[in-house]
Amino acid sequence: MAVWIQAQQLQGDALHQMQSLYGQHFPIEVRHYLSQWLEGQLWDVIDLENPQEEFKAKRLLDSLIQELQNKAEHQVGEDGFLLKIKLGHYASQLKSTYDRCPLELVRCIKHILYTEQRLVREASNSSSPVGGMMDSMSQKYQQINQVFEELRLLTQDTENDLRKLQHNQEYFIIQYQESLRIQAQLTSLATLPPADRQLREPTLLSKRATVEAWLTREANTLQKYRLDLAEKHQKSLQLLRKQQTIILDDELIHWKRRQQLAGNGGPPEGGLDILQSWCEKLAETIWQNRQQIRRAEHLRQQLPIPGPIEELLNDLNSTITDIISALVTSTFIIEKQPPQVLKTQTKFVATVRLLVGGKLNVHMNPPQVKATIISEQQAKALLKNENTRNDSSGEILNNNCVMEYHQATGTLSANFRNMSLKRIKRSDRRGAESVTEEKFTILFESQFSVGGNELVFQVKTLSLPVVVIVHGSQDNNATATVLWDNAFAEPGRVPFIVPDKVLWPQLCEALNMKYKAEVQSNRGLSEENLVFLAQKAFSSSSINPDDYRGMTMTWSQFNRESLPGRNFTFWQWFDGVMELTKKHLKPHWNDGAILGFVNKQQAQDMLMSKPNGTFLLRFSDSEIGGITIAWVAENPNKPGERMVWNLMPYTAKDFSIRSLADRISDLNHLLFLYPDRPKDEVFSKYYTPPLCMYLTSIHLYKNKWFTTTNPDPAANPTYMDHGASPVVSHPPNYGIYPPMSDSMLDADGDFDLDDTMDVARHVEELLRRPMESQWSGQQS
């Protein structure tokens, strides 16, 4: 069902949130009449951080305006006439608004569609099996909104009390002036004759006594009003602080944790729209209360009355300043983290956002943000407020950016689009620590004022830990450092301390999350897969998952110490499996065709109970990023006896020449994929069509990748541990490719087309031959 149809069925707060998405920047009528067109466009393919994408955005803007104009032209009748005028007006309005900044239109529509989808999803989930969790979340959101409503009423109440206090104080001052006037009259009586003084003095004395008595009573009343107002402000600030703690220390921290886990392949951290709306409500309420407290202080200064109110107001002012300072500094966050494995001399991006920037009008004088790379020790000193003397651990190019306000979404952010780490300064390493274990962080800092320079804030935020590499070969080990940190970092830690050992189930969760994300598959690691990994990690033979639940794995076991009998670590082996699967085996893994995490003995036990020609695919134990084929067949040396054969592992290099499916197709002795599926049923949809094979052969020939038949089979070993299979010998070389001669290149060194076509015809002819006849002469 179209999103817009479902969005119109929203109710309550969800409906209100949906309606608030629209306005002059994008009228809701445009969404309604162009709903199908809007949802059918590829908004997500446009990179908002890339200015070169502007032409795509302009094309979409022009198409949107054309669609509106077409819709307007087809309106008929009296109602249609009014709609025609309205749609035409919207077309002109959108063109005027976004013609010079079409990327902002894309940003606006993406924000609208994403929020609608989220609201619809949340509404539908409330009635689904996972509705309990959604109900709990909705209940929490409802409680937060209820507190905001309570704060709104309290702030409105204190505003009314403040106005009443101000009115009473103004009347008090008038009466006080009246008492001064009476006193002046009494003083002037001294100049009058005694008879006149005696006539007028009693009246003035009586009036003065009455006014002074009223002033005394009213002064006490004003003092009580002031104390009552201060107590109400204290209650408001307590509730504000509690609400802010929930939003900043719970919800925002949870969002940051989700962002960190997303770096390991966890689900996306989600948008910041709800958090920003809460933070903006906090900012608005805090600022209103701050202004009220300042007005109350002004009234006290205007009419000083002895009592405790001065100290109370000072405390209130100090508290509200602390609250707003905590809000501003905590909502200066990194929306898009820099890459955690950062290669020098390589462009990278990051986005910093101030969640309260729009509400506090920070964008009226846009602040500049600076990015600096600092070491782990410098980060520790920074959090201790120690003087770091503006030290850095490297030089970042294009590290200054001005924050921009996006009116359509109400966001204030700085988008660093072209940063590059020019050089890095490393510190002395500890013990066995390698350069790929050294952690840095990107420090983003800025300064701005709010309330007409009333308050000046210096804000700083640190990125997730970054490992700096200078060569691609370091990526594997650097990723291990990042994975361990993201998975096991505790909130509020000292930078960047992580446990040296973790429970095996915790590591399994992190590995599974990473594997699914890297392979881009819903098929994660099964319990059997995890048992295999535990056997490899702990050099154990137990197949009982419970035996590993209480075991711990240290960082050294994970990626410092090599596996027994190997020259690579546990992580390096696992990462090699992920890379191979991601690049070459993903469809087969998703189909369940690859068992993968099976050792040689397990493969033998599984296959020996199956018919000859049954095979399975398992990841190589001996080679990083290798997969081997194991199959069961007759033993040529012992008639009537069967054995399991293991092909030499295939690697990414092999699959870049010919795919796994095609290689399985080539091997006629492979009949059934374990346990009993005919191989063509599983792999035929991935076979390369003959025409594509023919074209690939020409490409290989052109690049001198063809070789003549090797007359010595021993020079091209194929199987591990065994001699020739009774079913098939070494991979056949058909001798179809003649030696490359220089005569096939023209004077400029380019490939000669006529000779190419001769070879192509020869290849095509061979491809038409039955595969059986090609194998028959190759069997031993």
Side-chain angles (χ1 to χ4, degrees):
M1 186 187 297
V3 175
W4 181 241
I5 295 176
Q6 299 177 75
Q8 293 176 78
Q9 299 170 7
L10 294 172
Q11 297 179 352
D13 186 57
L15 178 62
H16 177 72
Q17 288 186 53
M18 187 270 285
Q19 291 172 335
S20 67
L21 296 170
Y22 299 97
Q24 288 188 349
H25 61 280
F26 198 84
I28 196 169
E29 292 88 344
V30 176
R31 176 70 175 100
H32 180 74
Y33 288 103
L34 297 186
S35 60
Q36 188 173 353
W37 183 88
L38 286 167
E39 293 177 33
Q41 306 309 302
L42 300 177
W43 304 103
D44 285 330
V45 303
I46 298 180
D47 183 4
L48 297 174
E49 312 306 328
N50 185 358
Q52 295 180 353
E53 298 275 274
E54 188 164 300
F55 77 97
K56 294 182 184 177
K58 183 67 165 63
R59 193 160 59 231
L60 280 170
L61 171 61
D62 294 338
S63 299
L64 172 63
I65 292 170
Q66 186 62 50
E67 287 290 326
L68 270 177
Q69 291 172 340
N70 292 342
K71 180 69 74 173
E73 289 299 322
H74 288 86
Q75 302 304 315
V76 294
E78 182 176 348
D79 293 336
F81 173 75
L82 295 175
L83 183 58
K84 180 177 181 178
I85 294 176
K86 184 176 287 188
L87 292 178
H89 170 71
Y90 290 147
S92 301
Q93 177 181 317
L94 290 174
K95 182 173 179 62
S96 173
T97 303
Y98 297 109
D99 196 49
R100 293 186 178 180
C101 51
L103 284 172
E104 287 303 309
L105 172 71
V106 177
R107 190 189 303 274
C108 171
I109 294 177
K110 285 174 72 172
H111 170 70
I112 287 172
L113 294 177
Y114 169 83
T115 306
E116 284 180 352
Q117 290 168 356
R118 176 181 56 77
L119 291 171
V120 168
R121 186 170 61 250
E122 291 175 355
S124 61
N125 284 343
S126 62
S127 58
S128 71
V130 294
M133 183 178 67
M134 295 304 296
D135 286 343
S136 175
M137 187 178 298
S138 299
Q139 186 176 4
K140 181 187 291 185
Y141 289 1
Q142 186 177 3
Q143 289 173 349
I144 290 174
N145 289 331
Q146 286 174 349
V147 172
F148 273 125
E149 177 62 18
E150 185 178 351
L151 283 168
R152 186 188 68 80
L153 294 175
L154 282 173
T155 304
Q156 183 177 332
D157 186 38
T158 49
E159 176 65 27
N160 292 334
D161 286 355
L162 186 60
R163 289 177 179 175
K164 181 179 178 182
L165 173 62
Q166 182 175 354
H167 173 76
N168 289 350
Q169 182 166 312
E170 288 172 351
Y171 187 70
F172 180 91
I173 291 173
I174 292 174
Q175 292 301 108
Y176 180 72
Q177 294 295 330
E178 175 66 15
S179 72
L180 293 179
R181 188 180 64 80
I182 293 172
Q183 183 59 42
Q185 289 178 341
L186 283 170
T187 303
S188 66
L189 289 180
T191 62
L192 295 178
D196 292 341
R197 184 168 63 249
Q198 290 177 359
L199 179 65
R200 301 177 58 183
E201 189 174 39
T203 304
L204 289 174
L205 288 172
S206 174
K207 186 181 292 187
R208 185 180 69 177
T210 302
V211 170
E212 286 180 348
W214 183 91
L215 288 173
T216 301
R217 290 194 310 272
E218 192 62 18
N220 292 329
T221 302
L222 287 176
Q223 186 75 309
K224 184 177 184 304
Y225 281 168
R226 290 177 176 180
L227 292 173
D228 290 345
L229 180 61
E231 288 178 3
K232 288 184 177 181
H233 275 133
Q234 284 179 329
K235 181 180 178 182
S236 294
L237 297 195
Q238 288 173 357
L239 193 57
L240 264 173
R241 195 187 285 278
K242 181 180 177 181
Q243 179 83 324
Q244 183 162 292
T245 299
I246 292 173
I247 292 171
L248 299 184
D249 295 352
D250 293 345
E251 299 301 319
L252 185 56
I253 293 298
H254 288 162
W255 180 89
K256 289 182 177 181
R257 179 58 181 156
R258 293 195 300 272
Q259 185 186 52
Q260 189 172 27
L261 289 177
N264 275 2
E269 63 269 29
L272 287 163
D273 297 335
I274 292 180
L275 273 170
Q276 174 161 319
S277 69
W278 289 341
C279 291
E280 287 180 337
K281 287 181 181 178
L282 279 173
E284 185 175 19
T285 307
I286 292 169
W287 197 255
Q288 287 174 349
N289 278 271
R290 183 175 185 274
Q291 294 302 98
Q292 288 180 7
I293 292 168
R294 288 172 61 84
R295 284 160 56 196
E297 172 63 19
H298 176 73
L299 290 176
R300 187 202 66 79
Q301 292 175 351
Q302 189 181 45
L303 182 62
I305 300 175
I309 190 63
E310 181 177 0
E311 185 177 350
L312 278 173
L313 287 175
N314 287 338
D315 290 343
L316 287 173
N317 193 54
S318 176
T319 301
I320 198 77
T321 301
D322 290 343
I323 292 174
I324 196 170
S325 296
L327 178 66
V328 172
T329 54
S330 298
T331 55
F332 182 66
I333 62 171
I334 302 172
E335 182 177 13
K336 179 181 177 62
Q337 291 280 344
Q340 288 187 262
V341 177
L342 187 57
K343 188 178 178 183
T344 55
Q345 310 295 334
T346 302
K347 173 185 170 184
F348 67 95
V349 300
T351 301
V352 180
R353 181 166 164 181
L354 181 63
L355 297 180
V356 295
K359 188 59 66 174
L360 295 179
N361 292 325
V362 176
H363 61 282
M364 300 302 289
N365 185 18
Q368 187 175 79
V369 183
K370 179 182 179 182
T372 311
I373 188 164
I374 62 175
S375 68
E376 182 174 337
Q377 291 300 322
Q378 289 167 336
K380 289 178 182 177
L382 183 71
L383 294 187
K384 292 179 181 177
N385 292 320
E386 295 177 1
N387 183 15
T388 58
R389 303 186 307 278
N390 296 319
D391 285 346
S392 71
S393 290
E395 181 182 355
I396 299 178
L397 303 179
N398 303 314
N399 66 329
N400 287 284
C401 183
V402 175
M403 300 193 87
E404 300 175 352
Y405 182 66
H406 308 284
Q407 188 170 7
T409 57
T411 61
L412 181 69
S413 59
N415 299 306
F416 293 84
R417 298 182 177 91
N418 294 291
M419 285 194 291
S420 175
L421 182 58
K422 182 178 179 181
R423 62 177 181 84
I424 189 68
K425 182 171 65 177
R426 298 191 182 277
S427 57
D428 295 333
R429 292 187 292 278
R430 301 181 295 267
E433 184 181 73
S434 68
V435 293
T436 54
E437 295 178 46
E438 186 178 5
K439 300 173 191 175
F440 297 88
T441 182
I442 308 295
L443 166 66
F444 294 93
E445 51 189 337
S446 183
Q447 178 176 308
F448 50 82
S449 61
V450 298
N453 293 322
E454 286 183 25
L455 299 173
V456 178
F457 294 102
Q458 290 184 335
V459 293
K460 301 178 181 181
T461 187
L462 296 174
S463 75
L464 293 173
V466 168
V467 178
V468 176
I469 63 175
V470 297
H471 193 275
S473 62
Q474 298 172 309
D475 183 83
N476 174 290
N477 292 323
T479 301
T481 301
V482 168
L483 175 82
W484 191 277
D485 192 281
N486 285 344
F488 309 123
E490 296 180 357
R493 63 170 173 175
V494 176
F496 290 105
I497 293 177
V498 286
D500 183 61
K501 61 182 178 180
V502 296
L503 287 170
W504 173 249
Q506 291 178 290
L507 183 60
C508 288
E509 184 180 352
L511 293 176
N512 186 42
M513 181 185 292
K514 185 69 173 176
Y515 189 87
K516 289 171 67 175
E518 287 295 314
V519 180
Q520 297 177 338
S521 171
N522 290 325
R523 181 192 169 199
L525 301 174
S526 66
E527 187 171 84
E528 292 78 12
N529 299 155
L530 295 172
V531 167
F532 169 85
L533 291 174
Q535 291 173 333
K536 181 176 286 292
F538 300 114
S539 299
S540 170
S541 59
S542 172
I543 60 173
N544 185 357
D546 292 335
D547 291 344
Y548 302 105
R549 299 196 192 283
M551 297 183 71
T552 58
M553 190 169 192
T554 66
W555 166 252
S556 293
Q557 289 174 296
F558 184 67
N559 197 44
R560 273 188 188 164
E561 302 167 358
S562 294
L563 292 170
R566 307 296 181 193
N567 61 351
F568 47 78
T569 66
F570 172 86
W571 164 256
Q572 289 166 350
W573 181 89
F574 183 79
D575 186 60
V577 165
M578 284 195 302
E579 283 295 304
L580 182 71
T581 308
K582 174 174 67 174
K583 294 178 178 177
H584 299 286
L585 308 178
K586 181 164 61 176
H588 308 304
W589 173 264
N590 289 337
D591 291 346
I594 298 176
L595 290 179
F597 299 95
V598 177
N599 63 39
K600 187 181 294 185
Q601 184 60 50
Q602 288 173 316
Q604 180 165 326
D605 295 342
M606 295 165 70
L607 290 171
M608 287 301 288
S609 63
K610 298 298 176 183
N612 287 348
T614 303
F615 69 98
L616 58 79
L617 299 161
R618 68 178 188 85
F619 298 122
S620 170
D621 285 315
S622 60
E623 186 164 351
I624 294 179
I627 191 168
T628 188
I629 301 174
W631 77 97
V632 63
E634 295 294 331
N635 186 342
N637 299 321
K638 294 182 180 181
E641 182 178 299
R642 302 191 313 151
M643 61 188 303
V644 172
W645 304 79
N646 290 277
L647 205 61
M648 285 281 280
Y650 291 121
T651 63
K653 183 178 179 181
D654 299 310
F655 293 135
S656 66
I657 298 173
R658 189 156 174 78
S659 71
L660 174 65
D662 287 337
R663 291 179 183 275
I664 290 174
S665 174
D666 293 343
L667 302 174
N668 289 343
H669 59 291
L670 302 182
L671 303 177
F672 302 102
L673 178 69
Y674 183 89
D676 55 8
R677 298 172 67 189
K679 73 172 183 181
D680 287 344
E681 176 186 303
V682 179
F683 295 101
S684 60
K685 59 185 175 182
Y686 302 112
Y687 295 162
T688 303
L691 178 60
C692 294
M693 291 171 63
Y694 151 70
L695 293 174
T696 302
S697 299
I698 295 175
H699 175 74
L700 292 173
Y701 191 95
K702 178 177 178 180
N703 288 279
K704 294 188 179 182
W705 285 1
F706 287 140
T707 61
T708 57
T709 303
N710 189 337
D712 180 11
N716 188 21
T718 304
Y719 306 113
M720 296 172 57
D721 305 330
H722 298 295
S725 165
V727 183
V728 62
S729 67
H730 309 285
N733 292 308
Y734 306 129
I736 63 174
Y737 310 129
M740 178 72 78
S741 64
D742 292 338
S743 63
M744 299 187 69
L745 301 178
D746 62 22
D748 296 325
D750 293 328
F751 203 77
D752 187 271
L753 182 60
D754 292 335
D755 289 334
T756 302
M757 294 309 297
D758 290 338
V759 176
R761 281 189 287 271
H762 185 50
V763 172
E764 186 176 18
E765 179 185 349
L766 280 165
L767 291 174
R768 292 197 188 98
R769 297 179 186 175
M771 188 62 75
E772 289 77 5
S773 64
Q774 299 177 26
W775 277 102
S776 59
Q778 302 293 329
Q779 296 179 354
S780 57

